[in-house]
Amino acid sequence: MACACRIALGVSRASEVVQNNAFGEHSRLLNVIPFQLLLLLLPQQPALRFDDVFKCDLFVDTVSGHYTIPPGSTVKIGGRMSYAPQTAWLLQTSIRDNIVCCEPWDEARYKAVVHACALEQDFKNMMKGDLTPIAEKGISLSGGQKQRVGLARAAYRRADIYLLDNPISALDDQTQEHIWTHLLEGLLQHATIIVGSSRPVISCTRHHPSFSEFM
């Protein structure tokens, strides 16, 4: 019998998710409390069954709204969420505009995000810095640069929950460690963070739970 899945993000008590026993004895609950950093180590091939959602990227797709949950399952999000997809999307404008996007300009926040996402050196190497245009009328970014710009956009947005889909897959080990230290354990430490990753970072897995610990 397949399990029903109850996912609670950024709520303080499991009782806030479901008020009765409608899910029955076969239900499965993941309650990610406020200010928790949860690392989901994704398998190389996605699972097809919903009851395996916690072991694969279907979890991220479900929470981000890209997967229709089956009857009897619930996703409750308590707060404002910012999402960084694995494949970053970019606008044909400057890198700064790609990061700030539709959010209000906050210079202090912007500088902190640029540092945390390890983009400072990249900007120093560009003649126009973060005002460098992207795409047709500008430069072509590498896969790692695109991923960090997309991550910076998600981090710049003030939110209660940050859902990051494999944000380090195209980065070298040194850059990974910088982002874990300065972004996830630094700038965003007061938020609920869920990170889907196919590449574990030693410094992170030592101090933060992965989903396997909840099974």
Side-chain angles (χ1 to χ4, degrees):
M1 179 178 179
C3 295
C5 295
R6 295 177 288 171
I7 304 170
L9 307 181
V11 295
S12 58
R13 299 186 306 277
S15 59
E16 295 181 24
V17 187
V18 178
Q19 303 299 329
N20 53 51
N21 296 321
F23 289 91
E25 61 179 345
H26 297 286
S27 65
R28 180 177 295 170
L29 170 65
L30 170 61
N31 185 35
V32 183
I33 62 177
F35 316 127
Q36 181 179 6
L37 191 161
L38 178 65
L39 175 64
L40 300 171
L41 296 178
L42 309 182
Q44 296 300 314
Q45 295 182 351
L48 299 178
R49 295 164 50 195
F50 188 77
D51 54 338
D52 290 329
V53 67
F54 300 117
K55 299 178 182 179
C56 69
D57 56 0
L58 281 180
F59 174 87
V60 177
D61 290 341
T62 299
V63 175
S64 63
H66 296 150
Y67 180 84
T68 303
I69 63 173
S73 297
T74 297
V75 177
K76 180 180 178 65
I77 298 175
R80 191 184 189 200
M81 186 170 72
S82 185
Y83 170 55
Q86 180 175 352
T87 302
W89 53 269
L90 298 175
L91 302 171
Q92 294 185 14
T93 182
S94 69
I95 298 176
R96 178 186 293 184
D97 287 343
N98 268 277
I99 294 174
V100 176
C101 201
C102 301
E103 298 299 308
W105 171 248
D106 183 330
E107 184 175 2
R109 176 78 174 181
Y110 179 78
K111 289 182 177 180
V113 167
V114 167
H115 172 70
C117 292
L119 285 166
E120 290 174 317
Q121 188 59 48
D122 296 87
F123 293 164
K124 290 179 181 179
N125 295 335
M126 300 175 186
M127 290 186 61
K128 295 184 179 181
D130 62 344
L131 297 180
T132 299
I134 297 176
E136 291 184 1
K137 296 182 179 180
I139 65 171
S140 295
L141 301 181
S142 67
Q145 289 173 325
K146 290 178 181 178
Q147 201 166 46
R148 282 179 287 137
V149 169
L151 183 60
R153 180 192 300 116
Y156 182 80
R157 185 172 189 256
R158 294 186 181 275
D160 305 294
I161 302 165
Y162 291 88
L163 179 64
L164 312 177
D165 185 1
N166 218 4
I168 60 173
S169 61
L171 308 180
D172 59 65
D173 292 344
Q174 183 177 357
T175 306
Q176 285 185 48
E177 293 287 351
H178 178 96
I179 289 175
W180 280 115
T181 301
H182 296 281
L183 182 65
L184 303 184
E185 297 177 338
L187 183 63
L188 303 183
Q189 63 180 306
H190 299 300
T192 301
I193 310 172
I194 297 179
V195 183
S197 178
S198 58
R199 297 178 60 188
V201 176
I202 295 177
S203 63
C204 179
T205 53
R206 282 177 181 168
H207 305 292
H208 300 286
S210 65
F211 189 75
S212 60
E213 298 178 33
F214 292 85
M215 298 299 288

